[in-house]
Amino acid sequence: MNNTDIKPEYMQRAIKLAIKAVGHTAPNPYVGAVIVKEGRIIGEGYHRKYGELHAERDALSRCTESPEGADIYVTLEPCCHHGKQPPCTEAIIEAGIKRVIIGSRDPNPLVSGKGTGRLKENGIDVIEDYMRNECDQINYVFFHYITTKNPYVVMKYAMTLDGKIATPKGDSKWITSEAARLKVHEDRNRYSAIMAGIGTVLADDPALTCRIEGGVDPIRIICDTNLRTPIKSTIVESADTVRTIIATGVTDISRYLPYIDKGCEIKCVSTKDGHIDLIELMKRLGSLEIDSILLEGGGTLNWAALNAGIVNRVQAYIAPKIIGGENAPTPVRGVGIRMMENAIRLKDSHIIKVGDDYMIEGEIK
């Protein structure tokens, strides 16, 4: 079949549709689909919310004319198994689609290669890896989670030009601009959970919620080895409305009761070197279908997370301010790394301007 009529604008449209669902599909991926017939878009859709129609079925349900003989552009390999929804491959076959243009391959063992195989068995022309890089970029969380069953962890911090996250007296409001803080709230909407340590809770009494219109509050995870979170803290007082998990090494169940009464979930986790075993915690959280975490900890938790190897991506907001101070806290503390050659490095890093500030982002190499 002649494939010269495949157009990038249709896949670009599918990508734009897919990311409209940010914050609503976890632990499922973001997927968009566009149906094209005789050079016209006759239907489009996306996976809008976990448990609802997948992108292909959503697009087919919105067709303005028969999709028989049409092409469908889809950002991810169509599923071929029964989950919350029936297989999308069967809907494509039944609709009489003649050609399927796929962006990303699905690493889910239930789908990988099987979806395209099912389509080909039924005489449908399948084009794979079309604009794959662009399609892969929207589902880095899903790809990590589906292959490891551990959450994808993004370590975020804000610091001054001289590397401080607060003044020597502990004042940190505000290091960055309002624009940078808005972007953080957008990421709180994007990722399933937010994690902080007991030090942050005691110092700032944060709410750790998403404060943008239409945003979804992330699940709050507090690492509190000795269970010192104040019962009157904002976190605990609002646990009846925002899901809150406290990870602790305390085994005395009687100490859990005041927190449980307020709506908190307590997870007893093994300790290592006097702190929560973060590797074990990630496995526990992954089993709860928490696919991603925005780590907003202080220097101690940040170092522990890096040292444990659970961090996948770093977002460093840098404000053009200098405050100095020998004892002013820094974003990563702990014992640190002795030799420069062993420094933790980022790959595919980039820098963007956010308001008056700059944000450097990259994945752990």
Side-chain angles (χ1 to χ4, degrees):
M1 183 178 286
N2 180 12
N3 294 322
T4 58
D5 59 335
I6 297 176
K7 305 295 185 183
E9 55 261 35
Y10 297 133
M11 188 62 83
Q12 289 165 352
R13 175 61 184 164
I15 291 170
K16 286 182 179 179
L17 288 167
I19 60 179
K20 287 175 71 173
V22 164
H24 298 281
T25 66
N28 284 353
Y30 303 128
V31 187
V34 173
I35 300 171
V36 180
K37 189 172 185 178
E38 298 173 355
R40 296 172 289 109
I41 293 177
I42 64 167
E44 59 181 31
Y46 61 101
H47 182 38
R48 297 164 188 268
K49 189 177 181 181
Y50 178 70
E52 294 187 359
L53 288 177
H54 288 182
E56 299 92 326
R57 288 182 177 270
D58 188 47
L60 287 167
S61 73
R62 297 169 189 275
C63 280
T64 55
E65 60 183 270
S66 170
E68 186 173 357
D71 295 340
I72 185 169
Y73 290 73
V74 60
T75 57
L76 183 69
E77 179 181 358
C79 67
C80 54
H81 67 292
H82 282 269
K84 294 283 184 183
Q85 294 290 332
C88 290
T89 50
E90 303 314 299
I92 292 171
I93 293 166
E94 291 166 9
I97 296 288
K98 72 170 182 179
R99 184 169 59 178
V100 180
I101 300 98
I102 299 169
S104 297
R105 300 188 183 215
D106 193 335
N108 185 344
L110 296 173
V111 180
S112 185
K114 300 181 181 69
T116 55
R118 177 69 179 147
L119 296 172
K120 290 175 181 177
E121 286 170 6
N122 284 270
I124 297 175
D125 187 30
V126 178
I127 308 299
E128 296 181 271
D129 301 329
Y130 186 71
M131 295 178 61
R132 181 172 178 175
N133 288 340
E134 293 91 333
C135 291
D136 282 356
Q137 286 172 13
I138 66 175
N139 276 315
Y140 56 88
V141 166
F142 172 73
F143 293 153
H144 173 83
Y145 178 72
I146 203 67
T147 54
T148 68
K149 297 303 180 185
N150 285 337
Y152 185 95
V153 179
V154 180
M155 186 176 81
K156 187 279 301 181
Y157 57 82
M159 67 181 188
T160 58
L161 202 56
D162 55 338
K164 310 297 184 180
I165 61 173
T167 69
K169 289 188 175 182
D171 181 33
S172 61
K173 290 183 174 55
W174 294 102
I175 289 176
T176 52
S177 64
E178 187 175 341
R181 299 197 297 276
L182 174 60
K183 190 175 187 313
V184 170
H185 282 284
E186 290 172 351
D187 280 336
R188 289 183 181 184
N189 175 63
R190 173 182 293 273
Y191 300 112
S192 296
I194 184 169
M195 188 163 77
I198 181 60
T200 297
V201 173
L202 294 175
D204 301 333
D205 189 27
L208 301 181
T209 52
C210 175
R211 295 188 284 278
I212 59 174
E213 187 176 351
V216 179
D217 286 329
I219 299 166
R220 300 179 301 195
I221 302 161
I222 306 301
C223 293
D224 184 1
T225 307
N226 299 308
L227 203 53
R228 294 186 293 144
T229 300
I231 293 296
K232 294 293 185 182
S233 64
T234 300
I235 291 283
V236 176
E237 290 287 1
S238 58
D240 59 337
T241 57
V242 181
R243 187 179 178 189
T244 302
I245 298 171
I246 299 179
T248 183
V250 172
T251 57
D252 182 357
I253 296 177
S254 65
R255 289 188 57 191
Y256 301 173
L257 298 179
Y259 299 96
I260 293 173
D261 287 344
K262 292 283 191 177
C264 297
E265 299 173 37
I266 305 295
K267 304 296 180 188
C268 184
V269 182
S270 302
T271 57
K272 189 174 183 180
D273 300 325
H275 299 286
I276 293 294
D277 185 332
L278 292 175
I279 295 176
E280 179 186 324
L281 177 59
M282 291 304 106
K283 291 178 181 177
R284 296 275 295 278
L285 296 175
S287 70
L288 298 175
E289 295 193 331
I290 295 174
D291 67 348
S292 54
I293 295 172
L294 185 62
L295 174 59
E296 292 196 29
T300 300
L301 181 58
N302 285 347
W303 166 252
L306 287 167
N307 196 41
I310 68 166
V311 179
N312 302 101
R313 180 175 294 224
V314 175
Q315 291 180 340
Y317 288 85
I318 304 172
K321 302 174 182 177
I322 296 174
I323 57 176
E326 223 175 291
N327 299 318
T330 58
V332 181
R333 304 178 79 174
V335 297
I337 290 170
R338 289 177 176 271
M339 302 299 292
M340 186 62 69
E341 63 182 359
N342 297 324
I344 297 167
R345 299 173 185 271
L346 302 184
K347 64 179 181 179
D348 301 326
S349 61
H350 60 273
I351 182 169
I352 61 172
K353 195 170 191 304
V354 187
D356 296 329
D357 311 306
Y358 296 87
M359 193 264 282
I360 298 177
E361 181 176 35
E363 289 202 320
I364 296 289
K365 193 170 183 178

